Amino acid sequence: MFRLIPFQEYEPNFRLALNKIAIESVVNGGDPIISLSGWKPSCINIGYTQKIKEVLNLEEIKKQNIQIVRRESAGGAIYLGEKSDICWGIIADSKYFRNDITKIYQDTSKKIISALNEMKISTKHKPINDIILENGNGKISGSAIKQIKNITYIHGTLLYKLNKEILN
């Protein structure tokens, strides 16, 4: 049985710590977890391999007093703002997923696209890990995967308001 962590806005560093604890719980035999969250205050969340100066407008970030945090998974920088996105995550034994990262992204994207279609939002999967509007006019979701021992953690963001001034 999956545990649900219902939507709540979190302070960025607290949310990243919660992710670590949730992953550790599942690695140690706890129930799989599905989580939903937002961020308060706003922050920039960057992938573990990214170089901050190459992907962020640091002058604008400093001017707006926005915190920068680094997640343990890969992927691109994303502005996570108050009431601008919904973050989701699934932490489960890898047996729940296909044994191919590309297929995991495809399968997860299909589920999200199906839910968006029910809300009359036409989207499509853009390999490897994005969901874009059907008309091609914008990315509304990206995701990343981290695999630890026998656990897969896939997480992503559904954007509904974007601050383009912050990202290069």
Side-chain angles (χ1 to χ4, degrees), residues 109-152:
S109 292
K110 282 181 189 176
K111 302 267 188 218
I112 294 168
I113 289 166
S114 176
L116 291 169
N117 285 340
E118 287 184 30
M119 294 184 287
K120 309 293 184 225
I121 302 170
S122 298
T123 58
K124 62 184 177 183
H125 178 235
K126 180 181 177 189
I128 181 173
N129 60 341
D130 292 334
I131 296 174
I132 61 172
L133 295 172
E134 183 71 44
N135 64 13
N137 282 341
K139 173 179 169 177
I140 65 166
S141 181
S143 56
I145 292 175
K146 179 174 176 121
Q147 294 183 306
I148 308 107
K149 298 183 182 179
N150 61 329
I151 301 303
T152 296

Side-chain angles (χ1 to χ4, degrees), residues 8-26:
Q8 180 177 330
E9 288 182 320
Y10 294 94
E11 189 280 327
N13 286 305
F14 181 83
R15 179 63 185 143
L16 294 176
L18 182 59
N19 286 347
K20 279 186 159 203
I21 292 167
I23 291 167
E24 188 174 305
S25 170
V26 178

Side-chain angles (χ1 to χ4, degrees), residues 9-154:
E9 288 182 320
Y10 294 94
E11 189 280 327
N13 286 305
F14 181 83
R15 179 63 185 143
L16 294 176
L18 182 59
N19 286 347
K20 279 186 159 203
I21 292 167
I23 291 167
E24 188 174 305
S25 170
V26 178
V27 165
N28 290 325
D31 290 335
I33 297 171
I34 296 173
S35 65
L36 300 170
S37 63
W39 304 77
K40 186 175 184 177
S42 301
C43 69
I44 304 291
N45 190 337
I46 62 169
Y48 74 91
T49 60
Q50 291 192 293
K51 294 180 173 78
I52 292 174
K53 292 179 181 179
E54 291 178 10
V55 296
L56 300 178
N57 180 342
L58 294 176
E59 186 176 307
E60 187 65 28
I61 290 168
K62 186 175 182 177
K63 187 169 94 179
Q64 293 191 32
N65 194 30
I66 296 172
Q67 183 178 0
I68 300 170
V69 295
R70 185 181 297 274
R71 64 184 175 275
E72 291 186 38
S73 61
I78 184 153
Y79 174 80
L80 300 168
E82 295 178 45
K83 307 206 180 345
S84 69
D85 54 76
I86 298 170
C87 292
W88 56 269
I90 302 168
I91 307 167
D93 189 295
S94 295
K95 70 182 180 186
Y96 287 100
F97 302 95
R98 293 206 263 173
N99 195 21
D100 177 322
I101 287 179
T102 301
K103 302 259 189 252
I104 296 170
Y105 283 128
Q106 289 172 350
D107 295 344
T108 307
S109 292
K110 282 181 189 176
K111 302 267 188 218
I112 294 168
I113 289 166
S114 176
L116 291 169
N117 285 340
E118 287 184 30
M119 294 184 287
K120 309 293 184 225
I121 302 170
S122 298
T123 58
K124 62 184 177 183
H125 178 235
K126 180 181 177 189
I128 181 173
N129 60 341
D130 292 334
I131 296 174
I132 61 172
L133 295 172
E134 183 71 44
N135 64 13
N137 282 341
K139 173 179 169 177
I140 65 166
S141 181
S143 56
I145 292 175
K146 179 174 176 121
Q147 294 183 306
I148 308 107
K149 298 183 182 179
N150 61 329
I151 301 303
T152 296
Y153 171 40
I154 182 166

